[in-house]
């Protein structure tokens, strides 16, 4: 499969959410692999079970080595919006999927930072 076919299959131009989760660090500091890797497996499985990998709401996921927080992991980062969640084990991941992604309301108990990353002005706009 070539690059363009892969991009189309993954719906890279049309997904609504991108989740990055820090679960498998080279030097684990925020959580041990026996907590992080099951969280990753759960996230992958639930996205598929909820049809979020190809349905009307499309979600991309990325397993990160480190998101540099190094405390209270796994850390889950949700874009757009730049929502940073701590303690992203199965229970928290399920709440983020149901309440935030599908329901439109962030989960305040586990949200510790936000950074929407507004687009920068291009040099043409200056």
């Amino acid at each position: 499969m070539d690059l363009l076919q892969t991009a189309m299959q993954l719906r890279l131009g049309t997904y609504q959410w991108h989740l990055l989760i820090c679960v498998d660090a080279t030097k684990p500091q925020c959580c041990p692999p026996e907590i992080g890797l099951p969280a990753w497996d759960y996230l992958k499985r639930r996205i598929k079970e909820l049809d979020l990998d190809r349905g009307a709401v499309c979600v991309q996921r990325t397993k990160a080595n480190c998101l540099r927080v190094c405390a209270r992991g796994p850390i889950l980062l949700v874009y757009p919006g730049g929502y940073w969640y701590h303690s992203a084990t199965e229970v928290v991941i399920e709440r983020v999927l149901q309440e935030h992604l599908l329901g439109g309301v962030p989960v305040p108990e586990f949200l510790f930072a936000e950074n929407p990353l507004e687009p920068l002005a291009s040099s043409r706009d200056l």
Side-chain angles (χ1 to χ4, degrees):
M1 185 178 305
D2 75 3
L3 183 59
L4 291 177
Q5 289 173 319
T6 300
M8 288 176 54
Q9 181 182 7
L10 292 173
R11 297 181 58 189
L12 294 185
T14 62
Y15 64 88
Q16 289 85 10
W17 300 100
H18 193 156
L19 308 181
L20 297 94
I21 187 167
C22 176
V23 296
D24 194 19
T26 305
K27 295 179 183 178
Q29 294 181 23
C30 74
C31 73
E34 57 270 15
I35 293 174
L37 292 174
W40 170 247
D41 291 338
Y42 184 82
L43 178 63
K44 289 190 310 182
R45 185 175 80 247
R46 288 302 288 150
I47 286 173
K48 188 169 194 70
E49 288 171 353
L50 294 168
D51 202 31
L52 296 176
D53 57 342
R54 61 186 167 276
V57 174
C58 187
V59 176
Q60 290 295 323
R61 57 175 170 73
T62 299
K63 177 171 60 170
N65 181 284
C66 181
L67 293 173
R68 301 186 64 205
V69 175
C70 301
R72 297 183 68 185
I75 301 300
L76 178 65
L77 175 55
V78 177
Y79 277 107
Y83 296 90
W84 292 78
Y85 290 102
H86 67 81
S87 308
T89 56
E90 294 177 3
V91 171
V92 175
I93 290 169
E94 187 65 30
R95 289 194 58 199
V96 169
L97 292 172
Q98 296 293 334
E99 297 173 31
H100 188 156
L101 275 60
L102 295 172
V105 179
V107 183
E109 300 94 300
F110 301 97
L111 185 63
F112 69 94
E114 292 180 52
N115 183 356
L117 293 181
E118 297 296 327
L120 298 174
S122 72
S123 59
R124 291 175 290 190
D125 298 334
L126 298 177

